[in-house]
Amino acid sequence: MTEPAQTAKVVFQPSGRRGTFAIGTPLLDAARSLGVYVESVCGGRGICGRCQVAVSEGQFAKEGLTSAADHLAGESEAESRYRSLRPLDPARRLSCQAKILGDLVVDVPTEAQTNRQVVRKRAEARAIEPKSAISLVTVRLDEPSMETPRGDADRLREAVAEKLAADQIALDSILLPKVQTCLRKGGWTVTAAVHRDGQQPAEIVALWPGEHIRAYGLAVDIGSTTIAAHLCDLASGRTVSSAGTSNPQIRFGEDLMSRVSYVQMNPAKLPDLTRTVREAINALVGKLVADVGAERSDVLDAVFVGNPVMHHLFLGIDPVELGGAPFALAVSDALHLKSRDLDLDLNTGANVYMVPCIAGHVGADAAAATLSEAPGKSDEMTLLVDVGTNAEIILGNKDRLLAASSPTGPAFEGAEISSGQRAAPGAIERIRIDRETLEPRFKVIGLDEWSDEDGFADKIDQVGVTGICGSGIIEAVAEMYLCGLITEDGVVNGAMAERTRRIVANGRTFSYLIANEDIEISILQTDIRAIQLAKAALYAGVKLLQDKLGTDRIDRIRLAGAFGSYIDPTYAMVLGLIPDCPLEGISGVGNAAGTGARMALLNTGHRREVEETVRTIEKIETALEPKFQEHFVNAMAFPNKVDPFPNLRNAVALPDRSQATATPGADDGRRRRRRRG
């Protein structure tokens, strides 16, 4: 008879922290032991209700577990009492009372998080000439009479068409029941919102009695980790409010392929992934319009961008075909849809423009970023990279433009790293290691002071030191390499233990201890290997595009996305995350995809421009290229096994390769095959 398991694996989202716990451990205790700060003000007595969590059910192939609600013990007396006295969503549990019985993926709702992820997707400054798809037209109609039996809606269409000098204008059918009421309420004067976009038929999409002057549009970048939304004044072209949130789909999988796998293994759950992202967008819209004192009904047009998996899930399309070759998109061209068909809480007649996708893993977000940065209009050889769980790469100039993607995985966002976490207060985001003493000093999100500065010790209790986020991991590994703590092949040099107590033996490998207060934060050999795999995938993708263009020259590099904007370009090059380039030619461009979405929202000419770019850009599928593996293997080294990096070497003193040797007998963290015989 099989003995019941004595421990269970628990993964907390959206932080991505995970651990193994004894059966019977309260979820709140498990969360706190991992640095997942769930709010609780009653001392775990089940009174305050602040510590609510929800179980994400289904098979999670990447985690190697099946999560189910009954993997938590039944309600305690305190929890049942709370549920009887106060409204509690049936799907939620009080983490202070719920005890672990089996493997779980647990979603910590935003309101229960005390250390929330920092969503870094502001609206970048960009002057955009307004020429939107929406026109507000105020007309006055004659009152009906026995002599003119034409219907009110028909007379309205004719009056609007005459004022716009248009041949014909349609009326959204959803307005038919409202036309007469609106006309009479306005004393036969009404304002019509007319949607005109390219070859699409002109259409009246909204009506107001009398005069109406407010018309807003929504631009949204749906990222696999975060969602950024911008509210724009369609008349002036100004972005009047921006907001962001974590993508709640993270509970179904941290990276794109995890979510594809989740849908493949749990096909009935597809509507859940679609619903959660639409609900998150609706919540952002509520915040945006409240910021400017507007109404949801004032939002008349919307543009959405996202990678292909996010694009499909938002539209309710099964993304499973994107999980394997030939990575077929269900639809790639631009789409014109109604917001009401997507369950979006905007004006009921609002239109949605879906920016076209470039290829199976190069999506509408890459197309929008290309529109924003316009590498195809420059003489300079430009590399545009959006570093995310799936890196999207654009390389070229006005003569030729190529696109590809590379599966970097979630390591750069803190996942798959032993002490990793997403960017949130308490996460280490900057680190320096003294070249002589090998002692670290670091900066955490939420505090201005570094760990060796006055005031840090007094303030650190405000946020704690909870883990290390993507920018911190990049700097930590790069600093270790520059100090000689790891070799160019990525092996932690155990011989350095003679110089510092921070090199710690872990069986056949070694680690570097950064902090050891409430939570031990170390860089393990497996962490370095995860970074190597991620950066090598990105670099190999870039090299393939260079091969296709027949050039080793890159004049400028533009790092897009929240992560790309917050990493130090020098450290990124030290790792070999990006190719050699004059350091002054590297810059972060922020949320370029969001900027492109705003451009397409505010000027229909930009829609035609991005559609033309997608038609002409050359798509390279890295998975099918025979040289990918060769480039990948070379890119595993820091910064690279064969590429010389002259610009970097002129700026930074890199370790001498002849001295970059590992400790005899040290393991590099990879499994080794036993020789037979």
Side-chain angles (χ1 to χ4, degrees):
M1 185 175 179
T2 305
E3 290 290 325
Q6 298 302 305
T7 60
K9 184 177 181 181
V10 181
V11 181
F12 288 93
Q13 296 294 9
S15 68
R17 305 303 290 268
R18 65 205 69 207
T20 301
F21 300 94
I23 298 299
T25 302
L27 265 181
L28 185 59
D29 292 351
R32 286 176 170 171
S33 72
L34 293 173
V36 179
Y37 287 90
V38 180
E39 188 173 9
S40 177
V41 297
C42 68
R45 292 178 292 158
I47 297 172
C48 70
R50 302 280 186 87
C51 66
Q52 296 179 28
V53 297
V55 174
S56 295
E57 296 191 278
Q59 296 181 58
F60 294 81
K62 184 172 181 180
E63 305 293 349
L65 62 81
T66 298
S67 174
D70 60 9
H71 289 185
L72 286 176
E75 292 185 358
S76 65
E77 183 179 341
E79 189 172 7
S80 296
R81 186 186 312 114
Y82 180 89
R83 194 180 291 276
S84 68
L85 296 174
R86 302 182 188 180
L88 182 61
D89 189 311
R92 291 192 177 183
R93 297 290 304 273
L94 300 183
S95 62
C96 67
Q97 301 296 308
K99 294 183 177 180
I100 299 167
L101 297 182
D103 295 343
L104 291 162
V105 175
V106 179
D107 179 50
V108 183
T110 302
E111 64 270 19
Q113 300 168 23
T114 56
N115 282 34
R116 298 180 185 177
Q117 179 181 351
V118 178
V119 179
R120 296 162 160 168
K121 286 201 174 182
R122 68 182 185 275
E124 308 300 328
R126 177 67 63 91
I128 304 169
E129 180 188 355
K131 185 187 173 186
S132 81
I134 295 294
S135 303
L136 293 183
V137 182
T138 301
V139 294
R140 177 171 179 80
L141 270 63
D142 293 332
E143 293 188 38
S145 66
M146 298 293 288
E147 289 76 22
T148 55
R150 292 272 295 160
D152 289 345
D154 303 308
R155 294 191 300 121
L156 172 64
R157 287 190 298 103
E158 291 168 355
V160 171
E162 181 180 354
K163 193 153 189 177
L164 290 176
D167 292 335
Q168 192 173 8
I169 288 182
L171 179 74
D172 190 337
S173 60
I174 203 167
L175 295 176
L176 284 172
K178 307 173 184 178
V179 170
Q180 291 191 309
T181 302
C182 190
L183 282 167
R184 284 154 180 78
K185 188 175 180 179
W188 302 100
T189 296
V190 295
T191 299
V194 180
H195 180 270
R196 294 181 293 175
D197 182 13
Q199 300 301 313
Q200 299 295 306
E203 182 181 47
I204 299 172
V205 296
L207 285 174
W208 296 269
E211 291 195 20
H212 187 86
I213 58 173
R214 291 197 302 196
Y216 292 108
L218 181 70
V220 182
D221 172 19
I222 307 175
S224 55
T225 305
T226 56
I227 303 171
H230 310 287
L231 188 70
C232 301
D233 185 315
L234 294 179
S236 68
R238 290 192 312 114
T239 299
V240 296
S241 184
S242 297
T245 187
S246 299
N247 188 331
Q249 289 178 344
I250 228 165
R251 74 187 70 157
F252 304 107
E254 288 179 334
D255 58 23
L256 300 177
M257 287 302 100
S258 295
R259 287 177 216 176
V260 172
S261 174
Y262 181 84
V263 174
Q264 190 169 21
M265 301 181 74
N266 308 275
K269 298 288 187 178
L270 172 60
D272 293 347
L273 278 81
T274 298
R275 175 181 50 79
T276 56
V277 71
R278 291 179 180 178
E279 287 177 349
I281 291 165
N282 280 330
L284 285 177
V285 172
K287 182 180 185 307
L288 292 172
V289 295
D291 284 348
V292 298
E295 304 291 335
R296 289 178 182 269
S297 58
D298 293 325
V299 183
L300 300 167
D301 202 13
V303 171
F304 286 84
V305 301
N307 62 60
V309 174
M310 294 300 96
H311 172 278
H312 279 37
L313 289 174
F314 171 65
L315 294 175
I317 300 170
D318 190 331
V320 167
E321 292 297 328
L322 294 170
F327 312 107
L329 289 153
V331 59
S332 58
D333 288 350
L335 296 175
H336 298 265
L337 307 168
K338 287 292 185 182
S339 63
R340 59 181 180 264
D341 294 332
L342 300 173
D343 301 321
L344 297 177
D345 194 1
L346 313 176
N347 188 293
T348 53
N351 283 271
V352 168
Y353 176 78
M354 300 294 299
V355 172
C357 292
I358 295 174
H361 280 294
V362 188
D365 52 350
T370 306
L371 172 67
S372 170
E373 297 308 307
K377 295 181 179 179
S378 172
D379 290 322
E380 295 183 296
M381 185 60 65
T382 302
L383 172 65
L384 172 62
V385 182
D386 190 339
V387 185
T389 56
N390 188 70
E392 293 171 316
I393 308 163
I394 309 293
L395 179 66
N397 57 18
K398 63 181 180 59
D399 297 322
R400 192 179 175 196
L401 208 56
L402 276 65
S405 68
S406 226
T408 50
F412 291 138
E413 296 182 348
E416 298 182 347
I417 303 297
S418 60
S419 298
Q421 68 167 89
R422 302 191 188 280
I428 294 172
E429 62 172 344
R430 295 279 180 261
I431 186 168
R432 300 291 181 269
I433 300 175
D434 188 275
R435 299 297 185 265
E436 298 299 324
T437 66
L438 302 179
E439 283 295 298
R441 62 187 187 95
F442 53 83
K443 184 180 179 300
V444 301
I445 296 174
L447 291 185
D448 293 330
E449 294 82 4
W450 284 68
S451 59
D452 61 341
E453 293 179 345
D454 292 340
F456 180 86
D458 298 329
K459 297 178 181 179
I460 191 57
D461 285 343
Q462 298 173 14
V463 294
V465 182
T466 58
I468 185 165
C469 67
S471 61
I473 293 163
I474 294 291
E475 295 192 6
V477 176
E479 280 280 300
M480 290 175 69
Y481 171 63
L482 293 173
C483 289
L485 292 170
I486 58 177
T487 70
E488 74 165 350
D489 289 327
V491 180
V492 180
N493 191 351
M496 299 296 279
E498 297 177 4
R499 289 183 52 190
T500 175
R501 62 181 177 83
R502 292 188 178 274
I503 293 293
V504 180
N506 305 106
R508 289 176 55 84
T509 64
F510 296 87
S511 60
Y512 179 76
L513 177 66
I514 296 175
N516 192 17
E517 301 300 326
D518 295 335
I519 299 173
E520 179 183 307
I521 299 174
S522 296
I523 301 296
L524 307 185
Q525 182 66 69
T526 52
D527 299 334
I528 295 169
R529 190 62 60 211
I531 292 298
Q532 286 179 282
L533 292 169
K535 72 101 174 180
L538 173 54
Y539 194 92
V542 175
K543 288 293 289 184
L544 282 177
L545 297 192
Q546 288 184 289
D547 290 346
K548 295 291 183 181
L549 290 172
T551 182
D552 290 327
R553 186 186 103 246
I554 292 180
D555 299 313
R556 58 179 188 167
I557 297 176
R558 297 293 179 258
L559 300 172
F563 178 71
S565 297
Y566 281 85
I567 60 174
D568 186 305
T570 302
Y571 284 115
M573 195 176 289
V574 167
L575 286 188
L577 173 65
I578 54 177
D580 192 56
C581 173
L583 289 175
E584 64 274 14
I586 308 172
S587 63
V589 292
N591 184 17
T595 301
R598 289 188 293 128
M599 291 171 67
L601 171 70
L602 292 168
N603 191 311
T604 55
H606 289 312
R607 299 185 185 187
R608 308 293 85 79
E609 183 181 343
V610 74
E611 290 164 6
E612 178 62 21
T613 297
V614 169
R615 277 192 293 270
T616 57
I617 198 168
E618 297 177 50
K619 299 88 173 175
I620 306 299
E621 182 48 66
T622 56
L624 304 179
E625 293 293 328
K627 288 202 71 174
F628 181 85
Q629 190 64 25
E630 177 186 336
H631 290 316
F632 181 86
V633 170
N634 290 332
M636 286 289 286
F638 297 127
N640 192 277
K641 184 65 76 176
V642 295
D643 291 345
F645 281 77
N647 288 290
L648 177 63
R649 291 184 182 276
N650 287 336
V652 178
L654 297 180
D656 186 344
R657 284 183 168 177
S658 64
Q659 298 174 1
T661 56
T663 307
D667 195 333
D668 65 358
R670 290 176 287 189
R671 291 188 178 184
R672 303 176 184 271
R673 292 183 179 178
R674 292 183 180 179
R675 291 185 177 179
R676 293 185 178 180

